[in-house]
Coordinates of all heavy atoms in Angstrom, one line a residue:
Chain Q
T1307 N 9.8 -4.0 -7.0 CA 10.9 -3.0 -7.0 C 12.1 -3.6 -6.3 O 13.3 -3.4 -6.7 CB 10.6 -1.6 -6.5 OG1 10.4 -1.7 -5.0 CG2 9.3 -1.1 -7.0
V1308 N 11.8 -4.3 -5.2 CA 12.9 -5.0 -4.4 C 13.5 -6.2 -5.3 O 14.7 -6.4 -5.4 CB 12.4 -5.5 -3.1 CG1 13.5 -6.3 -2.3 CG2 11.9 -4.3 -2.2
A1309 N 12.6 -6.9 -6.0 CA 13.0 -8.0 -6.8 C 13.9 -7.5 -7.9 O 15.0 -8.1 -8.2 CB 11.8 -8.7 -7.4
A1310 N 13.5 -6.4 -8.6 CA 14.3 -5.9 -9.7 C 15.7 -5.5 -9.2 O 16.7 -5.7 -9.8 CB 13.6 -4.7 -10.3
S1311 N 15.7 -4.9 -8.0 CA 17.0 -4.5 -7.4 C 17.9 -5.7 -7.0 O 19.1 -5.7 -7.2 CB 16.8 -3.7 -6.1 OG 15.9 -2.6 -6.3
L1312 N 17.2 -6.8 -6.6 CA 18.0 -8.0 -6.3 C 18.6 -8.7 -7.6 O 19.7 -9.2 -7.6 CB 17.2 -9.0 -5.6 CG 17.0 -8.8 -4.1 CD1 15.9 -9.5 -3.5 CD2 18.3 -9.1 -3.3
I1313 N 17.8 -8.6 -8.7 CA 18.3 -9.2 -9.9 C 19.5 -8.4 -10.4 O 20.5 -9.0 -10.8 CB 17.2 -9.1 -11.0 CG1 16.1 -10.1 -10.6 CG2 17.7 -9.3 -12.4 CD1 14.8 -10.0 -11.5
E1314 N 19.5 -7.1 -10.2 CA 20.6 -6.2 -10.5 C 21.8 -6.5 -9.6 O 23.0 -6.6 -10.1 CB 20.2 -4.8 -10.4 CG 21.3 -3.8 -10.7 CD 20.9 -2.7 -11.6 OE1 20.0 -2.9 -12.4 OE2 21.6 -1.7 -11.6
A1315 N 21.5 -6.7 -8.3 CA 22.6 -7.0 -7.4 C 23.3 -8.4 -7.8 O 24.5 -8.5 -7.8 CB 22.1 -7.1 -6.0
K1316 N 22.5 -9.3 -8.2 CA 23.0 -10.6 -8.6 C 23.9 -10.5 -9.9 O 25.0 -11.0 -10.0 CB 21.9 -11.6 -8.9 CG 22.3 -13.1 -8.9 CD 21.2 -14.0 -9.0 CE 21.7 -15.4 -8.9 NZ 20.6 -16.4 -9.2
K1317 N 23.4 -9.7 -10.8 CA 24.1 -9.5 -12.1 C 25.5 -8.8 -11.8 O 26.4 -9.2 -12.4 CB 23.3 -8.6 -13.0 CG 22.6 -9.3 -14.2 CD 22.2 -8.3 -15.2 CE 20.7 -8.5 -15.5 NZ 19.9 -7.4 -15.8
S1318 N 25.5 -7.9 -10.9 CA 26.7 -7.1 -10.7 C 27.6 -7.8 -9.7 O 28.7 -7.3 -9.3 CB 26.4 -5.7 -10.3 OG 25.7 -5.7 -9.1
G1319 N 27.2 -9.0 -9.2 CA 28.0 -9.8 -8.3 C 28.3 -9.2 -7.0 O 29.3 -9.4 -6.4
L1320 N 27.3 -8.4 -6.5 CA 27.5 -7.7 -5.2 C 27.5 -8.7 -4.1 O 26.5 -9.5 -4.0 CB 26.3 -6.7 -5.1 CG 26.4 -5.5 -4.3 CD1 27.7 -4.7 -4.8 CD2 25.2 -4.6 -4.5
K1321 N 28.5 -8.7 -3.3 CA 28.7 -9.7 -2.2 C 28.2 -9.2 -0.9 O 27.8 -10.1 0.0 CB 30.1 -10.2 -2.1 CG 30.7 -10.9 -3.3 CD 30.5 -12.4 -3.2 CE 31.0 -13.2 -4.4 NZ 30.4 -12.9 -5.7
N1322 N 28.2 -8.0 -0.6 CA 28.0 -7.5 0.8 C 26.6 -6.9 0.9 O 26.4 -5.9 1.6 CB 29.0 -6.4 1.1 CG 29.0 -5.2 0.2 OD1 28.6 -5.3 -1.0 ND2 29.4 -4.1 0.7
F1323 N 25.6 -7.5 0.2 CA 24.2 -7.0 0.2 C 23.3 -8.1 0.4 O 23.4 -9.2 -0.1 CB 23.9 -6.3 -1.1 CG 22.5 -5.9 -1.3 CD1 21.9 -5.0 -0.4 CD2 21.7 -6.4 -2.3 CE1 20.6 -4.6 -0.5 CE2 20.4 -6.0 -2.5 CZ 19.8 -5.2 -1.6
S1324 N 22.3 -7.9 1.3 CA 21.3 -8.9 1.6 C 20.0 -8.2 2.0 O 20.0 -7.0 2.2 CB 21.7 -9.9 2.6 OG 22.1 -9.3 3.9
I1325 N 18.9 -9.0 2.1 CA 17.7 -8.4 2.6 C 17.0 -9.3 3.6 O 17.2 -10.5 3.7 CB 16.7 -8.2 1.4 CG1 16.0 -9.4 0.9 CG2 17.3 -7.4 0.3 CD1 14.8 -9.2 0.1
I1326 N 16.1 -8.7 4.4 CA 15.2 -9.5 5.2 C 13.8 -9.3 4.4 O 13.4 -8.2 4.2 CB 15.0 -8.9 6.6 CG1 16.3 -9.0 7.4 CG2 13.8 -9.6 7.3 CD1 16.1 -8.6 8.9
S1327 N 13.2 -10.4 4.1 CA 12.0 -10.3 3.3 C 10.8 -10.4 4.3 O 10.5 -11.4 4.8 CB 11.8 -11.3 2.3 OG 10.5 -11.1 1.7
N1328 N 10.2 -9.3 4.6 CA 8.9 -9.2 5.4 C 7.7 -8.9 4.5 O 6.7 -8.5 5.0 CB 9.0 -8.2 6.5 CG 10.1 -8.4 7.6 OD1 10.7 -7.5 8.1 ND2 10.3 -9.7 7.9
H1329 N 7.9 -9.1 3.2 CA 6.8 -8.7 2.3 C 5.5 -9.6 2.5 O 5.6 -10.7 2.9 CB 7.3 -9.0 0.9 CG 8.3 -8.0 0.4 ND1 8.1 -6.6 0.3 CD2 9.6 -8.2 0.1 CE1 9.2 -6.0 -0.1 NE2 10.1 -6.9 -0.2
K1330 N 4.4 -8.8 2.3 CA 3.2 -9.5 2.5 C 2.2 -9.3 1.3 O 2.4 -8.3 0.6 CB 2.5 -8.9 3.8 CG 3.3 -9.2 5.1 CD 2.7 -8.6 6.3 CE 3.5 -9.0 7.6 NZ 4.8 -8.3 7.6
L1331 N 1.3 -10.2 1.1 CA 0.4 -10.2 0.0 C -1.0 -9.8 0.4 O -1.5 -10.4 1.4 CB 0.4 -11.5 -0.7 CG 1.8 -12.0 -1.2 CD1 1.7 -13.4 -1.7 CD2 2.3 -11.0 -2.3
V1332 N -1.7 -9.0 -0.3 CA -3.0 -8.4 0.2 C -4.2 -9.4 0.1 O -4.9 -9.6 1.1 CB -3.3 -7.1 -0.5 CG1 -4.8 -6.7 -0.2 CG2 -2.4 -6.0 0.0
P1333 N -4.4 -10.0 -1.1 CA -5.6 -10.9 -1.2 C -5.8 -11.9 -0.1 O -6.9 -12.1 0.4 CB -5.6 -11.5 -2.6 CG -4.7 -10.4 -3.4 CD -3.7 -10.0 -2.4
P1334 N -4.7 -12.7 0.3 CA -4.9 -13.6 1.4 C -5.4 -13.0 2.7 O -6.1 -13.6 3.4 CB -3.5 -14.3 1.5 CG -2.8 -14.0 0.3 CD -3.3 -12.7 -0.2
A1335 N -5.0 -11.8 2.9 CA -5.4 -11.1 4.2 C -6.9 -10.8 4.1 O -7.6 -10.8 5.1 CB -4.6 -9.9 4.4
L1336 N -7.4 -10.5 2.9 CA -8.8 -10.2 2.8 C -9.6 -11.5 3.0 O -10.7 -11.4 3.7 CB -9.1 -9.7 1.4 CG -8.3 -8.4 1.0 CD1 -8.9 -7.9 -0.4 CD2 -8.4 -7.3 2.0
F1337 N -9.1 -12.6 2.5 CA -9.8 -13.9 2.8 C -9.8 -14.1 4.3 O -10.9 -14.5 4.9 CB -9.1 -15.0 2.1 CG -9.6 -15.3 0.7 CD1 -8.8 -15.0 -0.4 CD2 -10.8 -15.9 0.5 CE1 -9.2 -15.2 -1.7 CE2 -11.3 -16.1 -0.8 CZ -10.5 -15.7 -1.9
A1338 N -8.7 -13.9 5.0 CA -8.5 -14.1 6.4 C -9.5 -13.2 7.2 O -10.2 -13.7 8.2 CB -7.1 -13.9 6.9
L1339 N -9.7 -12.0 6.8 CA -10.6 -11.1 7.5 C -12.0 -11.6 7.4 O -12.8 -11.5 8.4 CB -10.6 -9.7 6.8 CG -9.4 -8.8 7.3 CD1 -9.3 -7.6 6.3 CD2 -9.7 -8.3 8.7

Side-chain angles (χ1 to χ4, degrees):
Chain Q
T1307 70
V1308 176
S1311 308
L1312 280 163
I1313 290 171
E1314 178 131 336
K1316 196 175 185 186
K1317 253 194 233 145
S1318 57
L1320 210 53
K1321 294 270 182 297
N1322 60 334
F1323 174 57
S1324 58
I1325 75 162
I1326 295 185
S1327 175
N1328 294 146
H1329 291 294
K1330 298 180 178 69
L1331 303 171
V1332 170
L1336 304 187
F1337 273 107
L1339 276 167

